[in-house]
Amino acid sequence: MPFGRLRGFQDITGLSAARFTAIEAAAREVFGLFGFEEIRIPLLEEKALFTRALGEETDVVQKEMYEFEDRSKTRVALRPEGTAGVVRAYLENSFDKNQGLSKFYYMGPMFRSERPQAGRLRQFHQIGAEALGTDSPYADVETIQCLVLFLKRAGISGYEVKLNNLGTFEERAGFREALRAYFKPHLGKLCGDCRNRFEKNVIRLLDCKNETCRELARKAPLLASHLTEESERHFNEVCEALKVAGIKYRLDPTMVRGLDYYTKTVFEVSHPKLGAQDALGAGGRYDRLVESFGGPNVGAVGFAVGVERLAMCVTEEAAAEEKFLEDAYFIVTLGERAFKEGFKILSELRNHGVKVSMDFSGKSLKSQMRGADKSKSRYVLILGDNELENGTCTVKDMRDGTQQLRLLDGYLASLVAQQRNKTC
Ligand code: HAM
């Protein structure tokens, strides 16, 4: 084979693809419940959109974007995240003028040219939600609530929600000065990246994984002492309402985010199964982004989760559920007459919308059962000439291995009725 996948890119097949589909279905269900509507935004945008939104000095913009000049000499980039594109679309489609609050969700591939490792890819998938046009702390809480319910629905437990208040851009300016003053005498001990961060984006120094930098960061001044009353009030209301909603969280005053657009509330959901790259998802408020794109001064809040990382954390129970397609059937036949009858049943059931398949190779029972297993159908209908003589079929439940002899017509009618009830 002359071609292979690019490093950090994946083919998603079989059970993984099914798990992705199940996670996406859970997202659609829960986001719909919270009033978010789907938005599909382009994979390619002007590079300047991301530079403006995420911040010139962020790692994503400095080192990780897939960018190039297109045929019309425009500098473009594959989207490294979804928020910037959603804000552009919100303004370009005049949502800011036509509807006060706009709530969108999106899902699809994102691209970051990072060093690949477990849970870190160059093409990965995000599911995200954004609420634009709201300053209310309750919108922050609703967003987190939506995320938590989605995780539950997707079969994920054992995660932790961490919360911090990043304040406004003005408050952070004062904090930056304090950090520079603190780190300056220790410059020689910092790692190369952090010496660079000291100049360009000193707050990111608090996020370094290097042990010496971490040790110094632990004693660094806290942003809390630079916050105004208004920022504190907003954050306190978020914390109170989270308690009312019964959502557990841990305050993490050292949590800073890798993207510059955040203001006030930021949150991260981590999971111990993920190892070094432990963030399942993250988000927060970004009150200045719409305005910085030439729009009105309105607040916004959102989050995104990494689907590959979610798929790694699905609980054993949920994974076991996935082994079978609950409403799928497989027809196994013994003998020529049964084969023809089986094919007729297959066609009729499909006409009624029942998910059913069959092996046409005419091989042994054992080989057909292997096919049934591979199809992940929960139920197998076994038809032999004898059964047909008696108007019966054997139904095997693949989950527990039990078998039942059923009257054929009655059983088929029950499958059709079941399907009809589902679609009503
Ligand atoms: P982010 O923290 O950069 O935030 O990414 C969100 C999630 O995407 C991460 O927690 C992680 O699960 C996943 N992710 C990021 N990079 C990779 C990678 N290289 N490989 C695999 N998974 C990855 C954002 O993107 C913001 N747009 C979130 C947001 C929405 N904030 C407000 N609204």
Side-chain angles (χ1 to χ4, degrees):
M1 236 280 281
F3 304 113
R5 287 186 305 270
L6 296 173
R7 231 165 88 73
F9 287 68
Q10 275 186 338
D11 300 314
I12 301 156
T13 62
L15 263 185
S16 295
R19 193 171 282 188
F20 265 57
T21 308
I23 290 172
E24 286 165 4
R28 287 180 195 286
E29 187 189 317
V30 174
F31 293 175
L33 197 71
F34 279 77
F36 288 90
E37 286 178 13
E38 184 169 15
I39 185 167
R40 299 189 189 210
I41 46 170
L43 266 65
L44 202 62
E45 300 265 10
E46 261 186 72
K47 180 198 168 186
L49 172 84
F50 300 115
T51 313
R52 171 86 62 89
L54 314 188
E56 185 86 55
E57 301 301 339
T58 54
D59 284 353
V60 177
V61 168
Q62 286 285 315
K63 304 190 258 190
E64 296 169 3
M65 279 207 289
Y66 282 92
E67 48 171 294
F68 58 95
E69 208 167 76
D70 73 2
R71 285 169 201 273
S72 62
K73 304 263 176 271
T74 308
R75 196 88 201 143
V76 293
L78 282 172
R79 61 183 191 191
E81 58 100 60
T83 312
V86 169
V87 173
R88 181 203 44 70
Y90 166 77
L91 291 173
E92 203 162 354
N93 294 287
S94 303
F95 283 105
D96 59 315
K97 298 194 184 78
N98 301 333
Q99 59 188 59
L101 175 65
S102 298
K103 292 162 86 174
F104 301 110
Y105 76 85
Y106 51 91
M107 44 185 79
M110 306 289 162
F111 303 84
R112 294 184 193 176
S113 181
E114 298 188 74
R115 197 167 48 77
Q117 63 182 78
R120 191 161 73 190
L121 291 145
R122 290 181 170 170
Q123 176 179 323
F124 58 99
H125 294 76
Q126 275 189 351
I127 295 179
E130 316 285 350
L132 300 117
T134 171
D135 290 324
S136 168
Y138 283 86
D140 308 20
V141 176
E142 184 189 54
T143 308
I144 298 172
Q145 211 175 10
C146 178
L147 168 58
V148 165
L149 199 61
F150 158 58
L151 292 176
K152 184 174 173 200
R153 184 68 193 75
I156 289 160
S157 56
Y159 55 81
E160 183 182 47
V161 179
K162 291 180 285 189
L163 202 66
N164 194 18
N165 183 1
L166 282 190
T168 62
F169 287 175
E170 292 74 21
E171 288 156 9
R172 284 216 293 275
F175 178 49
R176 255 187 223 106
E177 287 315 308
L179 279 183
R180 280 218 182 80
Y182 168 78
F183 279 112
K184 197 163 186 188
H186 305 293
L187 263 179
K189 294 184 222 146
L190 297 176
C191 73
D193 271 350
C194 280
R195 278 202 290 275
N196 206 11
R197 286 177 185 135
F198 178 84
E199 297 299 334
K200 296 188 163 158
N201 199 355
V202 68
I203 295 180
R204 293 287 295 160
L205 236 149
L206 301 175
D207 212 18
C208 183
K209 302 278 183 275
N210 174 296
E211 203 31 62
T212 316
C213 304
R214 276 170 82 133
E215 189 51 43
L216 283 168
R218 260 176 228 129
K219 293 176 204 134
L222 289 175
L223 177 59
S225 50
H226 295 264
L227 297 177
T228 59
E229 223 170 86
E230 149 52 23
S231 271
E232 277 184 352
R233 185 197 53 78
H234 182 98
F235 192 66
N236 289 341
E237 277 190 53
V238 171
C239 295
E240 297 256 307
L242 279 173
K243 279 184 201 132
V244 172
I247 295 171
K248 290 203 185 79
Y249 61 88
R250 179 168 69 82
L251 291 179
D252 181 354
T254 64
M255 181 172 67
V256 290
R257 304 277 307 121
L259 310 171
D260 281 355
Y261 50 58
Y262 290 110
T263 51
K264 298 184 179 167
T265 318
V266 285
F267 51 90
E268 211 171 86
V269 178
S270 58
H271 199 290
K273 260 196 192 168
L274 290 174
Q277 302 298 318
D278 72 348
L280 260 182
R285 191 160 261 293
Y286 48 94
D287 285 345
R288 298 291 277 276
L289 192 53
V290 174
E291 196 183 17
S292 80
F293 279 12
N297 176 8
V298 293
V301 57
F303 71 85
V305 295
V307 183
E308 285 79 1
R309 295 189 189 175
L310 286 189
M312 290 161 79
C313 297
V314 169
T315 57
E316 307 288 321
E317 305 92 80
E321 292 271 313
E322 284 170 11
K323 286 210 179 103
F324 294 102
L325 298 169
E326 286 302 312
D327 52 358
Y329 300 81
F330 196 92
I331 299 173
V332 164
T333 61
L334 299 162
E336 201 174 327
R337 198 179 136 220
F339 178 87
K340 287 194 174 143
E341 187 60 26
F343 182 72
K344 196 171 135 214
I345 293 171
L346 175 81
S347 314
E348 280 172 5
L349 286 179
R350 279 183 177 161
N351 281 340
H352 284 98
V354 179
K355 185 171 164 54
V356 54
S357 35
M358 184 176 165
D359 179 349
F360 297 144
S361 65
K363 288 194 183 142
S364 66
L365 172 70
K366 205 167 156 195
S367 151
Q368 290 183 61
M369 287 306 286
R370 267 202 301 273
D373 209 37
K374 230 171 130 195
S375 78
K376 299 200 272 329
S377 305
R378 166 97 190 257
Y379 300 100
V380 179
L381 275 70
I382 305 168
L383 290 173
D385 289 350
N386 275 349
E387 276 107 340
L388 285 183
E389 236 14 92
N390 303 326
T392 58
C393 69
T394 302
V395 180
K396 178 166 180 176
D397 184 336
M398 298 294 274
R399 184 189 286 270
D400 58 18
T402 55
Q403 294 198 165
Q404 273 187 322
L405 193 68
R406 304 286 298 262
L407 284 172
L408 184 58
D409 286 347
Y411 184 65
L412 296 180
S414 73
L415 297 191
V416 171
Q418 204 175 296
Q419 180 63 29
R420 198 177 306 124
N421 284 343
K422 241 191 324 185
T423 46
C424 280

